[in-house]
Amino acid sequence: MPAPVTSRKFLLLILFSATVVLHSQAQDTLQTDSLLLHERYSSVYRKTAEVIPLPYGMETNEAISPLPVAHLQAEDFNQGNIQDPMHLLQGRIAGLTIARAGNDPNQPFDVRLRGIAALNGPRSPLIVVDGFPAADLLTIDPQDIASVTVLRGSAATAIYGLRGLPGVIQIETRQGEAGKPVIRYQGSVSTELLSRQAEMADVPTFLELGGENLGHRTDWVDEITRTGLAHIHSLSLSGGNGGTSYRASGHYRNASGILRGSGFQRFNGRASIQQTALDDRLKVSATVNTASQDSDLGFPEAFRYAHIFNPTAPVFDPAAVDYGGYFETGKVEVFNPLSITEQAVREAEQTVWATNLHAEFEVARGLSLSGRYAVQQSNRTLGEAYQKTAWYRGFFENGFAAKSTQSQRSALTEALLRYERRVWQGSGLQIIAGYSRQYLRGDGILIEGGDFAEDEVDYNNLSESIDFFQGLGEVRSFAGETALEAGFAMVHLTVKKPLAIYGALRYERLPLFDRENDWNAFPSVGASYNFEGLFWKSKNIDALSLRASYGLTGGTPSGTPLITVPNGGYSVAPSPLRPERGETFDLGMHFSVYRRRLVGSINAYRSVTSNFLDFVYANAPVLSGRGNLWERDARFVTQGTEVTLEWEAKQSGAIRWQMAVVAATGRTKLENGLNRATKAGYLGPPLTFGLSYQEPIRFQSGALMGQIWGPVYAGVDDDGEYIFEDQNGDGSFMNEEEDFAVLGNAQPSFTLGLGNTFQWGRFDVQVFFRGVFGHDLLNATRASYGSGAVTNLYNVAVGEPFNRFLKERPIINSQHVESASFLSLDNLTLSYRPGLRRADGRLEDQALRVFLNTQNLFTLTRYTGVDPEVRYGPLRSTGFGRHYSDENILSWGIDWRNTYLPARTFTFGVELTL
């Protein structure tokens, strides 16, 4: 019988998983002798001659790198109203998919590198910020980011061991430079306008279809939306003299979303200092960060009810005192959307502080010893309150409120020994060996209750909830701590410049797994060869390099390994419990042609995740009834290609034109491990429909992951009931899997980023298109409300296909699955540098910049739903309230009814340097 996982490991797993998912890591870069990396190549690889930082201070150059890495400087980032560091990179790096449906200012981006690396564990890349593992992104303002390096494939990420499976994104922040003090101000103001919504029946169509006429005409979407407004102010001071450099910055952000009651205010402060001593043999740096954010999370579900509420209903009803004066129909699953936003609150407060100390001492020429100590503390409070008159929630509970607090602390101790030298002419060697230990601790508590004695319901006054006196209130808490420790080594060797060899090994312990599997090894190797000398007579080919790499990395599940189920059963884990295993093999090339006017790279990879850990709901003879068993033999494979091209289209004359293209292909296939199909994606209430019991997303061995599954529509009969195609050929249709077919797939097959930069005198224009192709979406609004059968309860989704004569309850079918491929003008910026006249009369061109920017100006797509953006899972819950969608992580490819609507953004900004 498998041994159950202990409750201690349960707490450790929750803590470790939450820390990896919600936080990030980082990297400090150490300068190396340029002879080792790019002395010879800077004349050939002009656009990639800058040093690219690898983990733990090792450095390379894309032209000769044996690893599949991508690097962006600040000037390559997206511009405009950027509130999230991940938004800077959206569409800019091949293989990196960054998506967010709608314009919810509090919703983080879904980030995937090379498709799906894990299901139940962390699925987004590990974020690395200035050498501190698990650094909270809230501490990093986008304006403080100097560059980003993306490590693709296990060969590059194996050095991060159990956290490297989904990939790694390294962020380097801006540092001070010696010289006179420099003051820089950046400010912008943005407006957001609703750009797209579900196509619902207008009043005449609604009445024609038999809807109830209540005598009014109300645009419910207009009632709950507004013009979004955001303003950003950033001020920094940097400089230095002698062996000291410093930089301090402060940032204030205020964003109001297009949904009433949604938005946030954020303050970030950051100070760093670098000091050298002992003839530059000793280098010491210190950084302090602090951030606080107050968020109005709002109620995106109000959009759902704005779409379906009777368009002839009034907003207010003076007689409806029990409902707070808001009109309510009293029908099943129908709520006044304005009442939802005005008779309830959902708020969050978060504070984070962090300090990072680093010192490096050159023991001998080429040999240095360094150490790092860093601490981070984050606290988050979430509160909700529903008034007694709120029909949506609170009315039947006589008021309801909930509050939770969560605290996390992380402390890192790290020691590195670094050796670097030229071993013979034209060849160099870098060796890094180190030890790292990171302590993690977290705790939290949730309190919720209803039936308030006071008229005013407040989540800060839960003592007024009578539920607690009647034993109905709920209190939950958790606490746990663990430590992740590892020893590691890295080697980077260049042999006569053309040949570069890389090798690394991380030996890591996490006390989550069985004792014999606490320690795990993660090796990686890579090599590249530059053929520049072969083309010295060619007029078209400047240089060409090839590379290959392989690596092994790990992952951990983020579910609970020990849970109780209603019938008294519990989950058991396989024994021994081992980490997930990720392997990637990469082949790539880097080239420069036409006198360096065209520079590019192409990479092909195959990634395999095995020893996959997930819950499978199954009969468990060892349990009292049914429970969840873990299986560990599942395996899925991702294969794809990545292409990056940079072209100097026009170099001479008054106009300069540069073009950049990033493109990627790749999909993930579940090869084996499941003895049956796993289904997910139920849409939730109303229970009067059959939609609650349909699970249209299917995962099956031997098929692409994320299949959308269901019956194939063939028409409506004379009685107003569906006609579906007979798939198994038995002459009749049964609403069972034998008669279902694959209707689409949630995974995109091709992504594209296309950027153009035009420079003319003091003017710059940047135009960036982003495309995602090959994915399908289940249009949940159309599936739920796209027929004449629902007009007695709801407004209806019109347009093609619309079943006017359907009388049967809605059933998800092929009519509701649409191609969601799209191409959008994602970012357009016009900037002008008028220059600034100094006191001495000198005109400085770079001192002043003004710009206009627009985001999501238009989108070309055939999709008819709210937003064609790719979906990699359920809507993320923002609170404790009603959640009408499946929260299963496998619920891909669904355009949920509660989706926050998208917006078009316009920004005016100023940058001033003194």
Side-chain angles (χ1 to χ4, degrees), residues 461-751:
N461 196 18
L462 280 161
S463 61
E464 296 294 329
S465 170
I466 299 176
D467 278 357
F468 291 101
F469 298 96
Q470 298 176 342
L472 300 176
E474 185 172 358
V475 178
R476 286 175 282 168
S477 63
F478 79 92
E481 61 181 5
T482 188
L484 181 71
E485 58 180 323
F488 52 88
M490 306 167 66
V491 178
H492 189 287
L493 173 67
T494 57
V495 182
K496 294 295 185 180
K497 297 291 180 62
L499 177 64
I501 300 173
Y502 170 86
L505 175 66
R506 185 178 184 96
Y507 194 51
E508 187 169 51
R509 178 181 182 268
L510 178 68
L512 163 66
F513 305 102
D514 292 335
R515 184 180 299 274
E516 61 268 31
N517 293 297
D518 272 0
W519 287 95
N520 292 272
F522 302 101
S524 62
V525 293
S528 67
Y529 192 85
N530 189 286
F531 295 92
E532 177 187 352
L534 298 179
F535 306 108
W536 64 275
K537 291 186 177 180
S538 173
K539 295 182 179 180
N540 297 323
I541 301 177
D542 305 312
L544 172 69
S545 64
L546 301 179
R547 63 173 175 264
S549 62
Y550 168 83
L552 171 65
T553 190
T556 58
S558 57
T560 56
L562 178 62
I563 64 171
T564 18
V565 294
N567 61 5
Y570 58 90
S571 292
V572 293
S575 182
L577 178 60
R578 297 188 295 265
E580 295 177 348
R581 175 188 176 99
E583 301 173 88
T584 305
F585 181 70
D586 280 89
L587 286 175
M589 65 180 294
H590 193 278
F591 61 88
S592 171
V593 297
Y594 301 118
R595 297 183 179 180
R596 303 177 298 280
R597 292 187 62 186
L598 178 61
V599 176
S601 64
I602 301 174
N603 203 71
Y605 66 90
R606 174 182 168 86
S607 178
V608 179
T609 300
S610 57
N611 196 29
F612 169 57
L613 297 172
D614 194 18
F615 291 118
V616 178
Y617 195 62
N619 284 317
V622 299
L623 307 178
S624 56
R626 291 168 61 86
N628 289 320
L629 290 177
W630 281 16
E631 44 177 56
R632 61 164 181 255
D633 56 351
R635 165 191 170 103
F636 50 95
V637 176
T638 304
Q639 297 185 120
T641 58
E642 298 152 344
V643 178
T644 301
L645 300 174
E646 298 176 357
W647 179 40
E648 288 277 4
K650 183 175 175 58
Q651 296 175 297
S652 58
I655 297 177
R656 184 181 181 185
W657 173 22
Q658 296 175 297
M659 177 182 285
V661 178
V662 294
T665 65
R667 277 181 166 179
T668 304
K669 179 180 180 181
L670 182 61
E671 284 201 340
N672 59 59
L674 294 181
N675 53 16
R676 55 167 176 71
T678 296
K679 295 181 291 184
Y682 69 86
L683 302 186
L687 298 176
T688 52
F689 292 175
L691 300 178
S692 295
Y693 306 104
Q694 288 184 262
E695 295 179 294
I697 310 302
R698 190 178 76 154
F699 292 77
Q700 186 176 32
S701 293
L704 288 174
M705 300 177 71
Q707 290 179 334
I708 306 176
W709 178 255
V712 178
Y713 177 80
V716 176
D717 64 17
D718 294 338
D719 296 324
E721 296 187 351
Y722 282 112
I723 302 174
F724 294 123
E725 291 184 5
D726 172 24
Q727 296 294 320
N728 62 3
D730 64 357
S732 63
F733 174 82
M734 300 293 292
N735 194 14
E736 297 177 354
E737 289 196 12
E738 289 76 10
D739 277 323
F740 287 1
V742 177
L743 309 179
N745 192 276
Q747 296 186 70
S749 58
F750 179 66
T751 58

Side-chain angles (χ1 to χ4, degrees), residues 33 37 58 67 187 208 250 260 347 353 382 402 579 611 622 645 650 661 688 731 753 771 788 834:
D33 186 351
L37 296 173
M58 186 166 282
L67 302 177
E208 180 188 345
R260 295 182 184 275
E347 300 170 335
W353 66 266
L382 175 65
N611 196 29
V622 299
L645 300 174
K650 183 175 175 58
V661 178
T688 52

Side-chain angles (χ1 to χ4, degrees), residues 24 135 162 174 198 225 255 333-334 349 407 417 500 521 720 722-723 747 752 754 774 795 827:
S24 327
L162 289 168
R174 298 179 188 272
T225 57
E333 293 300 330
V334 181
E349 297 179 3
S407 174
L417 184 65
Y722 282 112
I723 302 174
Q747 296 186 70
L752 174 69
L754 176 61
N795 196 5
N827 203 291

Side-chain angles (χ1 to χ4, degrees), residues 351-375:
T351 59
V352 184
W353 66 266
T355 183
N356 192 334
L357 307 176
H358 180 264
E360 180 184 9
F361 180 69
E362 185 181 10
V363 179
R365 182 175 178 82
L367 179 65
S368 62
L369 178 66
S370 64
R372 184 185 304 276
Y373 180 74
V375 180

Side-chain angles (χ1 to χ4, degrees), residues 51 219 246 313 657:
V51 172
D219 184 336
Y246 60 87
W657 173 22

